[in-house]
Amino acid sequence: MKILKSIALSAVFLSAIIFTNFTKKEEIKENDKIISYSKDTKVAYFASGCFWCVEAIFESVKGVEEAVSGYAGGHTKNPTYRKIGTGRTGHSETVAVYYNPKVVSFQTLVDVYFGSHNPTTKNGQHPDYGSQYRSIAFYSNNKEKQIIENTIKKLNKEIYKGKIVTEVTKFTKFYPAEEYHQNYERLHPENPYVQKVSIPRLNRFKQKFPELLKKEKH
């Protein structure tokens, strides 16, 4: 389980509505902050262990406008961090990735996804285990499903020898996680889990895909 410091924050859900595609400029309220998205913005959903780690990885990619931590893939309505920790909600810690397809393709996001975790681990990513940490690649249409399945087929043949256990699941509903989980890696660099797991995982990704990274602000 994650090593959490005592956090004196109430578990307030993000007031955010997640869209799979935008046909016009939209405004979404997150943590009392209005975020504007262009007409080109789309959303992809991925689960691969701790969402603190996954969110930080995708937010480092060029073309990604925002990543939001949350829950998806289960059967329980309005899940909470405490509830999904029981492993009984069916949900997995998931990240909604808002991206501009003119800058980064869905295929590239899928490559980032599979290149930043171990897709052969059943129900977990070290050091977190349980169904809430399982690997799920969500698709919103047949084209996305085909891209995911073709990528798995290629990786199984070239690298993983048929051992990938990632679920390929049709997207239905995303529940944003509590406010204190958002941007956790960036806002809490002193947290022991962040130092020992999140930052090293992010750095491994950066070393592997330097050409996909946003330019660092100085």
Side-chain angles (χ1 to χ4, degrees):
M1 296 298 293
K2 299 186 183 116
I3 307 168
L4 287 170
K5 282 190 172 183
S6 177
I7 302 173
L9 291 172
S10 60
V12 179
F13 274 88
L14 290 175
S15 176
I17 300 174
I18 305 303
F19 294 90
T20 57
N21 192 10
F22 298 101
T23 56
K24 61 180 181 179
K25 189 169 184 178
E26 302 284 352
E27 288 188 340
I28 293 175
K29 188 178 181 183
E30 289 181 4
N31 300 342
D32 296 323
K33 176 184 178 183
I34 299 297
I35 299 176
S36 295
Y37 295 96
S38 70
K39 64 180 181 180
D40 299 314
T41 304
K42 290 187 177 182
V43 191
Y45 303 87
F46 301 101
S48 59
C50 168
F51 50 22
W52 297 347
C53 305
V54 182
E55 178 189 292
I57 287 168
F58 278 106
E59 285 193 338
S60 72
V61 176
K62 286 184 294 186
V64 172
E65 300 174 359
E66 183 67 74
V68 178
S69 290
Y71 315 114
H75 51 80
T76 304
K77 292 182 179 180
N78 301 317
T80 65
Y81 184 66
R82 179 175 292 183
K83 287 180 180 179
I84 75 151
T86 66
R88 299 172 183 172
T89 67
H91 290 291
S92 185
E93 291 195 6
T94 301
V95 171
V97 181
Y98 291 82
Y99 70 101
N100 185 339
K102 292 184 177 180
V103 180
V104 60
S105 67
F106 182 79
Q107 175 68 70
T108 297
L109 294 181
V110 170
D111 292 339
V112 168
Y113 171 70
F114 283 107
S116 59
H117 81 293
N118 182 356
T120 70
T121 303
K122 181 81 172 174
N123 287 335
Q125 290 295 303
H126 182 76
D128 304 304
Y129 294 95
S131 62
Q132 67 269 34
Y133 297 112
R134 71 191 187 279
S135 175
I136 310 177
F138 295 90
Y139 64 90
S140 296
N141 53 57
N142 288 333
K143 182 178 180 180
E144 291 182 354
K145 181 181 181 182
Q146 184 176 21
I147 289 172
I148 295 168
E149 291 179 338
N150 287 345
T151 301
I152 290 176
K153 183 177 180 180
K154 182 174 184 290
L155 291 174
N156 265 332
K157 181 178 180 180
E158 298 179 355
I159 301 175
Y160 294 112
K161 302 184 184 303
K163 297 180 180 180
I164 290 178
V165 296
T166 298
E167 298 175 20
V168 182
T169 302
K170 183 174 179 57
F171 173 75
T172 55
K173 178 75 173 179
F174 176 82
Y175 297 91
E178 295 83 349
E179 181 179 357
Y180 68 84
H181 285 300
Q182 308 304 327
N183 299 307
Y184 199 91
E185 184 268 349
R186 176 170 59 82
L187 296 176
H188 301 278
E190 78 292 343
N191 179 274
Y193 181 93
V194 169
Q195 291 181 348
K196 295 178 181 180
V197 181
S198 300
I199 293 175
R201 183 173 169 182
L202 174 60
N203 287 338
R204 288 194 298 271
F205 166 74
K206 287 182 175 180
Q207 292 174 0
K208 191 173 182 179
F209 295 97
E211 72 281 3
L212 299 181
L213 303 178
K214 296 174 181 175
K215 292 183 179 179
E216 294 186 4
K217 297 179 181 180
H218 298 285

